[in-house]
Amino acid sequence: MTIAPQRPYTASLVDQFELGLNAPICLTWELTYACNLSCVHCLSASGRRDPRELTTEQCEAVIDELQRMKVFYVNIGGGEPTVRPDFWHLLDYAVAHQVGVKFSTNGLRITRERARQLAGNDYVDIQISLDGATAEVNDRVRGPGSFDMAMKALGNLAAEGFRNAKISVVMTRENVDQLDEFQKIADDHGATLRITRLRPSGRGADVWDELHPTHDQQRQLYDWLLAKGERVLTGDSFFHLSAFGESLPGLNLCGAGRVVCLIDPIGDVYACPFAIHDEFLAGNVIRDGGFESVWQNSELFAELRSPQSGGACASCQFFDSCRGGCMAAKFFTGLPMDGPDPECVVGNSAAALAGERTAPASSQDHSHRTKPVPVTLRLAPPVKDCAVNPLADFDPRA
């Protein structure tokens, strides 16, 4: 049994985070795997509903726990969460129980009427997923018509006075050149741009080699963030880029099991929204006595909160900025967990990526199977997005 270390209350904020918190700052909750789209890089391989989904009453019980634990907010995703018949009820239930809600959607059900209702709620935030600033780029990844659907949702929100919606963009080599255009779309709709990293999990593992930004594009992204990213949300997505030089704002450590985690549609709790695999399964809210019990007693979480070795990265001069990078990115590309990030910008992972490696098979796949996926990349197998950064609005400097 792994015992969590004693907390030195005089430690820095980052050191406190490394040892874990009594409750997550926020958690990501995928309410359903059902989705009307089949985005090629969907980290949860969504498409079809899992018949074991938590019931409305079970979801309410989770929200009750979050209220008791004083969780700041819950980050709801999927799949497409709005396709659950009880989604709007659960949103209202959470708000009524002092749990703020941020939900990610492709825009499917953000009508003018719904936008008007949401605009009157101060405890709800909305993220519209958009992976291209043009239909040509976006729809190659998210499916035909998805750009127009997202833009219509943004227009409805703006027209009905919903302030500061988020435009959530997964950065790929297809859209790095469109950063200025994304910012303009956000500005035109009174929204905030939020960019996240492409992770090689779910269906994203199938297209990561083709879609993850090149080294030159990583530098381009880094330079753009330094020059123009003051109003752009990134959370903990790009701390590996700090090895280029000046550190970027945000949390420069992996928050998995320490300050964030994920609940999936059947109540399984994973260390990280980007690590949906049996290797990172901490427990289940039904079988293991509720979410609070899993968060506080999971052996996996206790291990993650224990002092970690820097491994092969410890001698790197940029280790304090990068901390070895993303756990999920290493795992799903078949790299050693104590080695460098696969997108290490100083090149420490190049040899390992070029050598023999075996990426782990996905633990689950809910992709559509009754019809072909309506997306074809230039070279990639067809296959969807729901990437959510749990620390998107959290600024450790505040």
Side-chain angles (χ1 to χ4, degrees):
M1 176 177 172
T2 304
I3 300 176
Q6 290 292 320
R7 178 182 301 280
Y9 286 97
T10 57
S12 69
L13 184 60
V14 170
D15 288 338
Q16 295 281 354
F17 283 1
E18 284 193 307
L19 296 176
L21 302 179
N22 292 332
I25 291 173
C26 84
L27 63 89
T28 296
W29 188 357
E30 295 183 342
L31 280 180
T32 184
Y33 287 127
C35 191
N36 55 307
L37 298 182
S38 296
C39 306
V40 300
H41 55 355
C42 179
L43 64 89
S44 59
S46 288
R48 296 174 295 127
R49 175 184 174 272
D50 191 309
R52 300 170 296 167
E53 274 182 10
L54 297 180
T55 66
T56 301
E57 293 73 20
Q58 289 169 330
C59 290
E60 290 174 349
V62 172
I63 293 169
D64 292 341
E65 279 198 279
L66 301 183
Q67 181 185 23
R68 290 194 298 271
M69 295 173 71
K70 295 180 171 56
V71 171
F72 293 170
Y73 67 92
V74 60
N75 199 348
I76 293 178
E80 171 53 43
T82 64
V83 303
R84 261 192 75 132
D86 60 358
F87 171 75
W88 303 109
H89 163 75
L90 291 174
L91 183 150
D92 290 339
Y93 188 89
V95 170
H97 287 75
Q98 292 82 50
V99 178
V101 174
K102 174 187 293 183
F103 71 92
S104 296
T105 175
N106 55 45
L108 174 68
R109 292 188 169 167
I110 308 301
T111 62
R112 286 287 294 264
E113 180 182 6
R114 186 63 69 181
R116 189 178 312 121
Q117 294 169 352
L118 291 167
N121 195 324
D122 292 334
Y123 297 96
V124 175
D125 196 9
I126 305 172
Q127 297 180 158
I128 304 294
S129 297
L130 193 69
D131 291 323
T134 58
E136 179 186 9
V137 173
N138 180 85
D139 291 5
R140 278 204 299 269
V141 173
R142 302 187 60 81
S146 57
F147 179 82
D148 290 341
M149 182 167 61
M151 295 299 293
K152 183 176 181 180
L154 285 168
N156 288 342
L157 290 168
E160 296 300 334
F162 189 97
R163 291 174 293 181
N164 201 29
K166 308 300 183 291
I167 297 175
S168 184
V169 180
V170 178
M171 299 309 303
T172 69
R173 67 183 62 176
E174 299 265 308
N175 63 21
V176 170
D177 290 337
Q178 296 186 320
L179 283 163
D180 287 334
E181 288 89 337
F182 282 123
Q183 186 62 68
K184 185 176 187 307
I185 291 173
D187 293 342
D188 288 348
H189 291 84
T192 295
L193 178 61
R194 183 181 74 87
I195 62 174
T196 61
R197 181 180 176 184
L198 174 68
R199 260 74 170 205
S201 52
R203 286 198 296 268
D206 298 329
V207 296
W208 186 82
D209 285 336
E210 179 192 357
L211 278 187
H212 79 90
T214 65
H215 181 272
D216 288 346
Q217 288 178 322
Q218 299 270 18
R219 181 73 204 213
Q220 179 183 347
L221 172 58
Y222 172 78
D223 290 341
W224 188 88
L225 285 171
L226 284 181
K228 304 180 181 181
E230 183 177 346
R231 295 181 293 121
V232 177
L233 300 175
T234 61
D236 65 347
S237 280
F238 300 109
F239 61 89
H240 69 293
L241 297 183
S242 294
F244 277 127
E246 182 180 343
S247 291
L248 296 172
L251 187 67
N252 70 326
L253 63 84
C254 173
R258 299 179 174 118
V259 297
V260 301
C261 68
L262 173 134
I263 302 176
D264 83 350
I266 65 172
D268 282 342
V269 181
Y270 294 90
C272 169
F274 311 114
I276 305 174
H277 190 277
D278 290 345
E279 188 80 11
F280 305 104
L281 179 60
N284 181 278
V285 300
I286 305 301
R287 294 192 308 269
D288 298 313
F291 173 73
E292 184 172 13
S293 176
V294 175
W295 178 260
Q296 296 184 353
N297 301 319
S298 161
E299 289 196 20
L300 172 65
F301 286 171
E303 182 179 343
L304 289 172
R305 295 163 189 168
S306 299
Q308 304 289 313
S309 165
C313 294
S315 60
C316 178
Q317 63 176 312
F318 300 107
F319 178 71
D320 287 341
S321 298
C322 174
R323 303 292 181 110
C326 174
M327 173 184 76
K330 288 185 274 192
F331 179 77
F332 286 111
T333 51
L335 296 185
M337 296 295 286
D338 62 351
D341 188 287
E343 292 184 291
C344 171
V345 297
V346 295
N348 290 333
S349 61
L353 285 172
E356 290 292 325
R357 55 189 171 97
T358 302
S362 176
S363 297
Q364 53 187 301
D365 190 342
H366 294 84
S367 302
H368 294 290
R369 292 175 183 163
T370 57
K371 59 181 180 180
V373 176
V375 182
T376 303
L377 288 180
R378 296 187 184 98
L379 301 173
V383 251
K384 168 187 168 359
D385 158 68
C386 350
V388 173
N389 188 314
L391 291 176
D393 285 334
F394 180 74
D395 186 348
R397 302 167 297 171

